[in-house]
Amino acid sequence: MFIFNATVDLRGRTEEQGRILIHHDEDNESLQLEFKALHEIELEDISSVQRPVFEDLQSGKANILRT
């Protein structure tokens, strides 16, 4: 899992709900990214190593991410 603080224009690149982006590179390797709002993330699904980061973000400590 990777955590990014980014703004992108995905118009026409995601499925209908705008939550999933599937990318295929030149070697036909694929990558699927699912976008979720912080309040939609279940902490139980996050590894114990990464969980403190999500707990901080969900409690409003946004200064922990670099832009």
Side-chain angles (χ1 to χ4, degrees), residues 7-54:
T7 303
V8 296
D9 181 4
L10 297 175
R11 285 178 282 186
R13 298 192 170 268
T14 59
E15 43 65 72
E16 289 183 24
Q17 288 79 24
R19 296 179 59 97
I20 297 176
L21 171 69
I22 299 175
H23 172 75
H24 295 277
D25 67 11
E26 296 172 357
D27 297 319
N28 206 28
E29 296 289 329
S30 65
L31 169 70
Q32 178 175 318
L33 300 174
E34 182 177 357
F35 299 92
K36 293 183 178 183
L38 278 174
H39 69 273
E40 296 175 315
I41 296 172
E42 297 292 333
L43 292 176
E44 297 79 30
D45 296 336
I46 306 299
S47 75
S48 61
V49 173
Q50 295 173 328
R51 192 171 298 136
V53 173
F54 283 91

